[in-house]
Amino acid sequence: MPRRILVLDDEENIGRSLRMILEREGYQVNTARSGAELRAFPDLTRIDLFLMDVSLPDANGIELLRELETREITAPVVMISGQATIADAVAATRAGAFDFLEKPLGRDRVLVAVKNALERGTLKRENKRLREVAGPGTKMIGASPAFLRAVEQASMAARSDARVLLIGESGTGKELLAAHIHESSPFASGPFIKVNCAAIPGELIESELFGH
């Protein structure tokens, strides 16, 4: 069954061009030209990928991306823009966009982004299925102000691209908090890899972490 892609762009020529490019590759393509059309589209949960313009006549693409997330529509989103700024790209990535393309759109760049995004979507669904099969893991439990503040700060960090260092005594739950950050981040579909650096001999640490 062909993968379904929804192109959301108010420029008719862009929508038509993307449709031609993608249909030639065997994808099933639908188009919309406004936020209202997107919201009215039947069965958005069956879409495998969204190509979405940042600037629309009645909506902001990044806000629509967040709206899809609140409706638990998990298909990957590739944002496109004709007046892209670094701030737009950063905002889109933090909101959960898989990629950000600038107009004019090159055919090869579009196809690579679509292929990679669809593969990411497949991995994300498989990861979710395996997690459902495996059942819930160990969870953090607490109600103290300090605990809630730590979880809130961890959740905020998870939505950014910042590196995070967790400091605390042995047994205070650093690994659980790290797992929470991973599960709440845009990288949750990937593996959560634990490395005991203290157990690696000093002369081998570089090879173990970076290869040789």
Short mmCIF file of all heavy atoms in Angstrom, two decimals, residues 19 61 71 135 150:
data_model
loop_
_atom_site.label_atom_id
_atom_site.label_comp_id
_atom_site.label_asym_id
_atom_site.label_seq_id
_atom_site.Cartn_x
_atom_site.Cartn_y
_atom_site.Cartn_z
N ARG A 19 3.23 17.46 -5.59
CA ARG A 19 2.37 16.30 -5.90
C ARG A 19 2.94 15.50 -7.07
O ARG A 19 3.00 14.26 -7.02
CB ARG A 19 0.95 16.78 -6.21
CG ARG A 19 -0.04 15.64 -6.41
CD ARG A 19 -1.46 16.16 -6.48
NE ARG A 19 -2.41 15.11 -6.23
CZ ARG A 19 -3.62 15.28 -5.73
NH1 ARG A 19 -4.02 16.50 -5.42
NH2 ARG A 19 -4.42 14.26 -5.54
N GLY A 61 2.24 27.46 10.54
CA GLY A 61 2.53 26.04 10.41
C GLY A 61 3.08 25.41 11.67
O GLY A 61 2.77 24.26 11.98
N ARG A 71 -3.48 16.34 19.24
CA ARG A 71 -4.51 15.41 18.77
C ARG A 71 -3.96 13.99 18.60
O ARG A 71 -4.62 13.11 18.09
CB ARG A 71 -5.07 15.91 17.43
CG ARG A 71 -5.84 17.23 17.55
CD ARG A 71 -6.18 17.82 16.19
NE ARG A 71 -7.06 16.96 15.40
CZ ARG A 71 -7.53 17.30 14.19
NH1 ARG A 71 -7.20 18.48 13.67
NH2 ARG A 71 -8.31 16.49 13.53
N GLY A 135 5.47 -3.57 27.98
CA GLY A 135 4.80 -3.03 29.15
C GLY A 135 5.59 -1.89 29.77
O GLY A 135 6.74 -1.64 29.40
N ALA A 150 12.06 19.11 39.96
CA ALA A 150 13.08 18.40 39.18
C ALA A 150 12.49 17.79 37.91
O ALA A 150 13.07 17.89 36.82
CB ALA A 150 13.74 17.32 40.03
#
